[in-house]
Amino acid sequence: MASAVEIDAMRRALQLARRGPRGLNPQVGAVILSPTGETLAEGYHRGAGTAHAEVDALSQLAPGAARGATAVVTLEPCNHTGRTGPCALALIDAGVDRVVFALDDPTDTAAGGAARLRAAGVEVESGVEADAAEALIHDWTAVKRTGRPHVTVKWAQSLDGRAAADDGTSQWITGPDARRDVHARRAAADAIVAGTGTVRADDPALTARAADGSLLEAQPVPVVIGTRETPPDAAVHRHPRSPLFYATHDLPAVLDDLAGRGVQRVFVEGGPTLASAFLRAGLADEVLVYVAPVLLGGSRLAVGDIGVPTIADARRLVVTSLQTLGDDLLIVARPEPSDPATGGHAVTAPTAEPGRPAPALTNRGDA
């Protein structure tokens, strides 16, 4: 069982892990404790191709200084050679006597570090502060489990389900409190996605902004999907992050490419056509609906065809939260659990209709 000192060290390791970037690799922190419980070194993973957290911490010690020590790590030490060597072997070679970690590594290639350590005579304790560690890298583990980023589909609507008035005007359906909430959620995402129709019609900046219009520190990568050209003077070209353009309607292929770039959370905010496409394809893990107490009528529905020809085929959702934002209401919902392998989220649709090849994926941007 982990000691109080080791638990405190794990909490410190979790703080260190948060300093690392989100991306292809998980955020991991490590603390090396002396046999008497003093902190000898700390480390964290700084991104793909850099030293893993354990090696980062060990590198700060003189040769032999870690002999008899305890390594406290937020994720099971890896057992494979990629851009760097296996951390389990590095700990063994350093003479560490005990390893305490929070989560088992969920990847087939990297798992097995605990078994390798035990085989070498190192004492191993797992599951310490596991819930906190899981919360930290939940999005990364979800990508590993499902093979694609977590997708949130957002729209704002009137009380009668319209996204705009009949003449196309839509600013502003919701009030300032709702808009502030949207920008905070944009900043928490890795990518914000819009369709070419919305980009051409509304010229959105796709940035995360404060109430005074200034840019927030965290900015999602702007992603534009669709076969129509984006005008060269579009606001998205002035985004602080280089935009990605996908000349396709193959949403699973786009998500696959984004996952390969280290994108873990996708925020879809590109108008009714794109929102409907993600819903129709079964690619929405979460739905955010901002409802304003106004009536618009007309034909500008917030969501179009999502593949529900009859009530028996309705997409059932579970409401996870309701929140008032000024005069508006925010409804957060997720698909009903349908497949344990997806963690209760929507199941990814096939990349093409039976008998038809998937559309070509063309990415003209550069992350």
Side-chain angles (χ1 to χ4, degrees):
M1 180 176 293
S3 67
V5 172
E6 291 170 342
I7 293 172
D8 286 343
M10 182 65 76
R11 291 169 180 166
R12 173 58 180 165
L14 289 165
Q15 292 176 345
L16 293 167
R18 293 185 181 93
R19 297 181 183 178
R22 290 161 54 91
L24 291 172
N25 297 93
Q27 294 166 293
V28 181
V31 174
I32 308 296
L33 298 175
S34 72
T36 57
E38 299 169 339
T39 298
L40 297 175
E42 299 178 339
Y44 65 95
H45 183 49
R46 290 169 168 79
T50 66
H52 288 189
E54 303 94 314
V55 175
D56 183 45
L58 290 172
S59 69
Q60 301 169 35
L61 299 175
R67 192 161 303 280
T70 295
V72 179
V73 193
T74 59
L75 186 67
E76 177 186 7
C78 69
N79 190 39
H80 81 299
T81 299
R83 295 186 187 181
T84 59
C87 293
L89 181 59
L91 292 169
I92 293 168
D93 290 344
V96 168
D97 277 355
R98 177 171 163 82
V99 173
V100 177
F101 67 88
L103 292 177
D104 293 337
D105 194 302
T107 61
D108 293 336
T109 54
R116 186 172 189 170
L117 289 163
R118 290 189 179 100
V122 178
E123 184 180 356
V124 176
E125 178 86 21
S126 64
V128 178
E129 294 292 298
D131 289 345
E134 166 61 25
L136 174 65
I137 62 169
H138 171 77
D139 296 334
W140 180 82
T141 57
V143 171
K144 294 301 178 183
R145 185 177 65 248
T146 66
R148 64 170 178 81
H150 180 280
V151 175
T152 295
V153 176
K154 167 265 175 183
W155 68 84
Q157 66 173 56
S158 63
L159 199 59
D160 54 346
R162 269 61 181 179
D166 250 359
D167 65 354
T169 56
S170 61
Q171 294 181 331
W172 297 97
I173 289 179
T174 55
D177 290 344
R179 294 197 293 275
R180 278 193 291 270
D181 186 79
V182 169
H183 282 281
R185 294 175 186 272
R186 286 183 181 183
D190 299 318
I192 180 170
V193 180
T196 51
T198 294
V199 169
R200 292 171 67 92
D202 299 337
D203 196 24
L206 300 182
T207 53
R209 301 183 298 277
D212 63 2
S214 61
L215 294 179
L216 297 177
E217 181 178 357
Q219 290 292 329
V221 174
V223 175
V224 180
I225 300 175
T227 54
R228 287 189 286 177
E229 288 293 326
T230 298
D233 60 346
V236 68
H237 290 298
R238 298 187 293 277
H239 196 284
R241 305 284 298 273
S242 297
L244 299 173
F245 299 91
Y246 293 94
T248 182
H249 297 294
D250 186 350
L251 300 182
V254 172
L255 292 178
D256 182 66
D257 186 74
L258 291 175
R261 294 170 176 269
V263 170
Q264 298 173 15
R265 294 193 71 87
V266 168
F267 195 70
V268 178
E269 197 181 355
T273 300
L274 192 62
S276 302
F278 272 92
L279 293 169
R280 187 168 57 250
L283 293 172
D285 300 299
E286 182 179 62
V287 172
L288 302 180
V289 184
Y290 295 85
V291 182
V294 297
L295 300 173
L296 294 176
S299 59
R300 301 272 184 164
L301 295 174
V303 176
D305 176 22
I306 60 170
V308 179
T310 180
I311 192 65
D313 298 326
R315 305 292 180 94
R316 301 293 177 181
L317 304 177
V318 176
V319 174
T320 59
S321 71
L322 292 169
Q323 182 181 358
T324 55
L325 298 167
D327 293 331
D328 304 315
L329 176 67
L330 169 60
I331 303 171
V332 182
R334 293 178 178 174
E336 282 189 339
S338 57
D339 186 346
T342 66
H345 297 326
V347 178
T348 301
T351 58
E353 296 177 18
R356 294 180 57 188
L361 175 65
T362 303
N363 173 22
R364 304 192 307 277
D366 182 6

